[in-house]
Amino acid sequence: MNRSSEGFAGVQFGIAADKLATADYDGDGKSDIAVYRAGIWYLLRSQTGFAAYQFGIQDDIPQPADFDGDGKAELVVFRPASGAWYVLNLVTNQFNGAQFGVNGDKPVAADFDGDGKSDYAVFRPSDGVWYMLKSQSGFAAIQFGISTDKPVVGDYDGDGKADQAVYRNGVWYQFRSSQGFAAVQFGIASDLPAPADYDGDGKTDLTVYRDNTWYLLQSTNGFTGLQFGYLGDKPVPNSPVE
């Protein structure tokens, strides 16, 4: 980790086959190291330390998110075979489930209506449609993307609402909730997109990881490149991008 205020740190946590599941699980405003392995969550929380939870099955996709708006991520899995979501609130120990999606969908849970709560959402490669079940405004569907796109949801215009966005052959296509459509060439086809707010202005920045180098196009601080990592590393800016 190369932290903006505390500098470099390295932590041995996980194995090669783990799925990354970073999120803020203890509500201190800092992302916690976390991995998902064959139905078990392993968390290394910055405030409350280590914990392990059995929640999910082998093929589930971890999608940690804050569905109740308390500032703490819940354990969330999306089950591709059935399109079902399963949620475990670690504060209340309450379980919830929702049927939202079909086999082949990619989960993209985020706060699309700006109420501080994550919404169930999927990107369907077969038709390039985003399907959302918003906590305030209910169901919505938006055609934005094609089958080979990588969804890169984020708040690109800084209005507090997540925007539909996809990465395609080095081009970022964004459908921003307050500023509309934008397309920006930044990266190449083989890059791994790693969007996050790197300059702290409330807007998601265009970022790609390529051969142990990070390339950032920050909304306030502009372009920068940073050598950080080794070949084969996976970028983990904040939370997972599937």
Side-chain angles (χ1 to χ4, degrees), residues 116-204:
K117 300 178 181 180
S118 293
D119 306 309
Y120 296 106
V122 296
F123 173 73
R124 189 162 298 164
S126 60
D127 56 15
V129 176
W130 297 65
Y131 297 94
M132 296 158 283
L133 187 60
K134 303 179 187 180
S135 49
Q136 287 289 324
S137 49
F139 176 79
I142 296 176
Q143 167 72 48
F144 195 75
I146 60 175
S147 62
T148 54
D149 287 345
K150 297 177 181 177
V152 284
V153 62
D155 183 6
Y156 292 92
D157 49 14
D159 65 352
K161 300 178 181 180
D163 305 310
Q164 292 80 33
V166 296
Y167 183 78
R168 183 190 312 160
N169 296 326
V171 180
W172 298 70
Y173 297 95
Q174 307 159 36
F175 188 62
R176 300 167 296 177
S177 49
S178 64
Q179 297 179 353
F181 175 79
V184 181
Q185 170 72 53
F186 190 73
I188 60 177
S190 58
D191 286 346
L192 297 175
D197 180 11
Y198 293 91
D199 50 15
D201 63 354
K203 299 179 181 179
T204 299

Side-chain angles (χ1 to χ4, degrees), residues 21 25 35-36 39-43 51-53 55 62-64 75-77:
Y25 293 94
V35 296
Y36 181 80
I40 301 177
W41 297 70
Y42 298 94
L43 313 180
Y53 300 93
F55 189 71
Q63 186 78 172
L75 304 188
V76 184
V77 295

Side-chain angles (χ1 to χ4, degrees), residues 93-117:
N93 205 36
Q94 291 184 326
F95 167 80
N96 288 296
Q99 176 64 51
F100 194 76
V102 299
N103 191 9
D105 286 351
K106 296 182 178 182
V108 286
D111 181 9
F112 289 95
D113 50 15
D115 64 351
K117 300 178 181 180

